[in-house]
Amino acid sequence: MSALPLRPPRRRTLAQRDARTGIALMSPTLIIVLAVVVVPLLWSILIAFQQLKLLEIGTANPFRSLTLANFERVFASGGLWASLGTTLIYTAGSVLLSIGIGLLAAMAVRRPFRGRNFVRAAFLLPYVAPVVAVTFVWRTMLNPQFGIVNEVGQSTFGWADPIPFLSEAQRTVEFLGAQFPIPTALLTAIAFEGWRYFPFAFLFLMARLEALSAESEEAALVDGASPLQTFRYIILPQLMPVIALLAVLRTIWTFNEFDDIFLLTGGAAGTGVASVRVYEFLTVQRNVGAAAAQSLVLAVVLVLMLAVYLYLMRRRGERL
Amino acid sequence: MSAPTTPGTQTSSVPAPRPPEVQRVRGSRRHEIERRSLRILRWVVIIGLLIVTLLPFYYMVLLSLRPIEALLRNPSSLIIPPAEFTLSSYQQVLTSTAAGGQGFGRFIANSALVAVSAVIISLIVAVPGAYAIARLPFFGHRQVNALFLAAYLFPAIVMAIPLFVLFTRVGLRGSLVGLVLVYIAQTVPVAIYMLRNYLDTVPVAVEEAGLVDGLTRIGVLRRISLPLVMPSIMATGLFIFMIAWNEFLFALLFLVERRESWTVSLGLSQLSGSAEIPTTVLMAGSVVLTLPILILFFSTERLLTGGLTAGAEKG
């Protein structure tokens, strides 16, 4: 495949032959990614500027006239900003929570103890298990009629009524005499994200912790630093690059998360994030153009975040 | 609690806060308080997180083994009295709809078919691609690599609309073939990323020795590099299997109208909205959906997690 040049007079160097082989080996992957990722993406941009209903997609001419109507529709009625706002709170809360728990977990299992492997494995469960199964278990556990959380809450913690965790948009909580509005369902969804994705942060942070050299910590100990000071001034700074990377990755993925919210609440009760809106444009309003326009808005935000990610990678000296 | 003891003096009783000048001394009171509270806190964190991560799965299994009447009578019970133990939920969820069940047997077959096809085809495509990226300096190398990374990070919801339209037009929507195609595109970039990290661990000198001995590049890949990273390729394959088996959005968009083509994930999500099917039966469905993944994951855990986080050590 590689060694037979068509014209005999010049023998190719190894580097040249390698380059040809490289392209040959690369092509199938490249073709698939171009065909099923890049081309559809470009087409999606086109659709966002066309009037296209769900019923017409089998027959419509791909190059029909262009219009801005979809964007007017997407931006109109404040729905976009409300959903982007919800998405932002949901993303920020989920990312902070998952990385925070992941850091706690990684520090807790850092030193060896009996059963460490079991604990590690158990911590990975939420991330590995199928999303449909875990959301269903959460929904059942939080169910106001027979869910175990409300049952225990009422019998043990003296809740007056069951809390509809996933169907209540807001409740008022009294604390120290003041009243605070709490977005119940959104907070529950954030808690779910923290639960489901802390193993991801946990994995990365553990890998980094294992690679830290013991010397600087020993030096800090000799200098009289307390354990918390050692963590604050020696360990945490060395973890910061990984935490930044995790924050960007998790932000990118959470911002566009669809499955979790859709399966938990269906986007109801104040959890209508932007990706659920894309789905609703497509299936409820049957307006493919508007769905594409909404997803394009998401994609633009995403590209901005990707740029940050690539910048961080470059700064770490990662090979691209 | 068997936490390893840290060096330092063992003082009893809870001491009062100390003036600042004492804090700098090694083994001072403050250090001792911190050390002790951290030791306790550490176990609080471990046990707390263990409960939080394990309880939902325990609850899943528990409900799948109890009859629905028992659940409604006593919702907060965390044990199964022997008299209540039953496998009827599994029987009902697995038998076909024709026989009065929920037809999860069929869904399992669909999911397995889709996932296994995705694994095989993705690997066939991704292994040479990953080798090219890891070792061969072809033109456009960096750009191709960046493209794959972007494709890996690009979320499904953005891809969903155009793929929905495209596959409707070419008549692949509603077929498992179309789903396999989407899963390949979704998994090839991450497979390349993982495989590249593994292939990087093969020493260049070993490959050069092969080249010197007259092997072509393809020969080197086939006879030297692949055997060396075979376990890692298996791990990548299992990871692809997990992604395909767990996937929900595209299954929903492509297959929702055709019950005979549903995957397990789609079947469970569709049926969990219906009021007629008892929760216990659906819990049995959840166990059926979850169990294969957990078995696969924990049999290959070390390899998988190593591949995913490779590079994180560098900081």
Side-chain angles (χ1 to χ4, degrees):
Chain A
M1 194 162 179
S2 63
L4 291 175
L6 289 176
R7 290 170 193 209
R10 225 187 80 215
R11 233 185 113 71
R12 289 173 201 281
T13 64
L14 180 64
Q16 281 172 323
R17 273 182 288 148
D18 274 356
R20 295 193 123 204
T21 317
I23 289 173
L25 292 179
M26 190 76 265
S27 323
T29 326
L30 197 56
I31 289 168
I32 288 189
V33 171
L34 286 178
V36 194
V37 178
V38 177
V39 171
L41 216 57
L42 296 176
W43 194 7
S44 169
I45 298 176
L46 196 62
I47 295 173
F49 291 97
Q50 294 172 335
Q51 299 270 21
L52 186 61
K53 298 277 176 231
L54 192 62
L55 284 174
E56 312 166 325
I57 56 177
T59 51
N61 174 10
F63 298 102
R64 61 214 321 231
S65 60
L66 301 182
T67 163
L68 282 175
N70 293 323
F71 288 92
E72 280 165 24
R73 196 188 172 108
V74 165
F75 281 93
S77 76
L80 175 73
W81 303 114
S83 78
L84 279 182
T86 309
T87 314
L88 213 61
I89 298 172
Y90 168 70
T91 305
S94 310
V95 171
L96 283 177
L97 193 63
S98 64
I99 297 181
I101 303 177
L103 182 61
L104 265 181
M107 290 305 293
V109 303
R110 189 176 178 208
R111 295 190 202 294
F113 56 91
R114 270 178 56 145
R116 183 165 177 253
N117 282 341
F118 169 77
V119 171
R120 261 177 54 114
F123 284 1
L124 297 178
L125 276 175
Y127 183 60
V128 179
V131 60
V132 179
V134 290
T135 47
F136 180 60
V137 174
W138 269 63
R139 267 166 44 207
T140 309
M141 292 179 83
L142 297 174
N143 186 301
Q145 273 95 47
F146 55 85
I148 190 162
V149 174
N150 275 309
E151 198 60 35
V152 170
Q154 280 172 292
S155 62
T156 312
F157 298 110
W159 298 351
D161 298 299
I163 301 175
F165 285 99
L166 293 166
S167 53
E168 181 184 71
Q170 206 173 66
R171 71 167 38 220
T172 317
V173 171
E174 206 165 320
F175 183 66
L176 297 175
Q179 301 209 322
F180 297 97
I182 302 272
T184 318
L186 187 59
L187 281 187
T188 311
I190 290 174
F192 175 81
E193 290 291 297
W195 177 81
R196 182 157 154 76
Y197 292 105
F198 91 83
F200 186 77
F202 169 69
L203 268 184
F204 275 73
L205 289 168
M206 276 223 314
R208 182 75 186 103
L209 278 173
E210 266 163 30
L212 290 189
S213 83
E215 280 167 33
S216 44
E217 273 172 70
E218 279 159 14
L221 191 68
V222 170
D223 285 348
S226 78
L228 281 181
Q229 285 170 329
T230 311
F231 174 74
R232 169 71 187 78
Y233 295 103
I234 307 292
I235 300 176
L236 197 58
Q238 297 186 76
L239 292 181
M240 248 10 223
V242 180
I243 292 179
L245 188 71
L246 281 170
V248 177
L249 275 178
R250 288 292 349 138
T251 305
I252 289 173
W253 280 322
T254 314
F255 199 84
N256 297 278
E257 181 63 63
F258 171 81
D259 297 1
D260 301 20
I261 287 270
F262 180 77
L263 289 164
L264 271 183
T265 68
T271 60
V273 295
S275 59
V276 173
R277 203 158 177 252
V278 174
Y279 181 79
E280 275 171 4
F281 272 127
L282 182 69
T283 57
V284 181
Q285 306 196 17
R286 300 176 170 268
N287 188 336
V288 184
Q294 170 83 36
S295 76
L296 198 60
V297 174
L298 269 182
V300 169
V301 179
L302 180 76
V303 166
L304 290 178
M305 291 195 278
L306 269 181
V308 175
Y309 173 74
L310 291 180
Y311 172 75
L312 280 177
M313 293 284 277
R314 182 96 27 106
R315 240 186 28 180
R316 287 177 65 205
E318 187 81 3
R319 190 183 60 170
L320 256 189
Chain B
M1 304 288 163
S2 62
T5 45
T6 36
T9 50
Q10 299 285 322
T11 41
S12 57
S13 84
V14 182
R18 305 290 292 185
E21 64 266 23
V22 189
Q23 289 179 3
R24 296 232 156 243
V25 184
R26 186 182 168 195
S28 71
R29 271 265 165 81
R30 172 181 160 170
H31 291 197
E32 197 50 39
I33 298 169
E34 276 189 15
R35 229 172 255 130
R36 285 172 162 241
S37 16
L38 283 177
R39 202 181 304 152
I40 296 168
L41 190 69
R42 172 164 174 257
W43 284 99
V44 171
V45 168
I46 291 177
I47 291 167
L49 281 177
L50 271 183
I51 293 173
V52 168
T53 50
L54 291 179
L55 186 67
F57 295 94
Y58 176 70
Y59 190 69
M60 188 195 285
V61 176
L62 177 82
L63 257 55
S64 73
L65 296 172
R66 292 177 74 193
I68 182 77
E69 300 80 28
L71 168 69
L72 294 176
R73 207 166 42 232
N74 184 8
S76 60
S77 165
L78 273 179
I79 47 157
I80 317 173
E84 283 183 6
F85 180 88
T86 170
L87 286 173
S88 65
S89 294
Y90 287 92
Q91 196 190 346
Q92 201 190 335
V93 84
L94 288 174
T95 44
S96 66
T97 35
Q102 300 304 333
F104 269 57
R106 179 70 191 260
F107 302 162
I108 293 173
N110 289 338
S111 277
L113 178 72
V114 169
V116 169
S117 320
V119 169
I120 294 172
I121 303 174
S122 275
L123 280 183
I124 290 176
V125 171
V127 168
Y131 184 76
I133 286 196
R135 282 291 141 83
L136 304 176
F138 58 92
F139 179 74
H141 179 275
R142 280 172 52 94
Q143 286 76 3
V144 168
N145 211 347
L147 176 69
F148 286 159
L149 189 65
Y152 168 39
L153 295 177
F154 238 78
I157 189 72
V158 178
M159 302 303 309
I161 309 296
L163 286 177
F164 183 81
V165 176
L166 181 74
F167 279 67
T168 308
R169 280 193 85 101
V170 296
L172 278 176
R173 186 160 71 83
S175 78
L176 293 175
V177 177
L179 203 61
V180 170
L181 210 56
V182 174
Y183 289 173
I184 293 169
Q186 298 263 304
T187 53
V188 156
V190 63
I192 291 220
Y193 179 76
M194 287 175 74
L195 289 169
R196 190 194 78 183
N197 284 334
Y198 295 133
L199 284 165
D200 269 342
T201 62
V202 177
V204 178
V206 177
E207 295 198 342
E208 278 168 357
L211 286 174
V212 170
D213 285 349
L215 282 176
T216 61
R217 266 293 170 189
I218 311 285
V220 168
L221 171 60
R222 238 189 45 211
R223 308 228 175 134
I224 297 176
S225 310
L226 280 194
L228 282 174
V229 294
M230 212 19 145
S232 320
I233 292 179
M234 304 284 287
T236 310
L238 288 166
F239 190 64
I240 297 172
F241 184 92
M242 283 168 49
I243 293 180
W245 180 275
N246 290 357
E247 206 280 338
F248 169 66
L249 174 59
F250 283 105
L252 173 69
L253 283 175
F254 283 28
L255 302 175
V256 71
E257 292 136 23
R258 301 183 41 170
R259 181 167 176 150
E260 71 275 13
S261 303
W262 283 358
T263 59
V264 188
S265 278
L266 181 60
L268 181 61
S269 74
Q270 291 298 305
L271 298 178
S272 68
S274 112
E276 294 104 66
I277 306 170
T279 304
T280 47
V281 172
L282 292 168
M283 278 301 169
S286 303
V287 174
V288 164
L289 172 62
T290 311
L291 209 56
I293 287 304
L294 295 192
I295 293 171
L296 278 183
F297 182 80
F298 290 114
S299 55
T300 56
E301 187 214 333
R302 287 276 159 185
L303 273 173
L304 273 177
T305 53
L308 270 180
T309 59
E313 304 83 25
K314 265 184 288 178

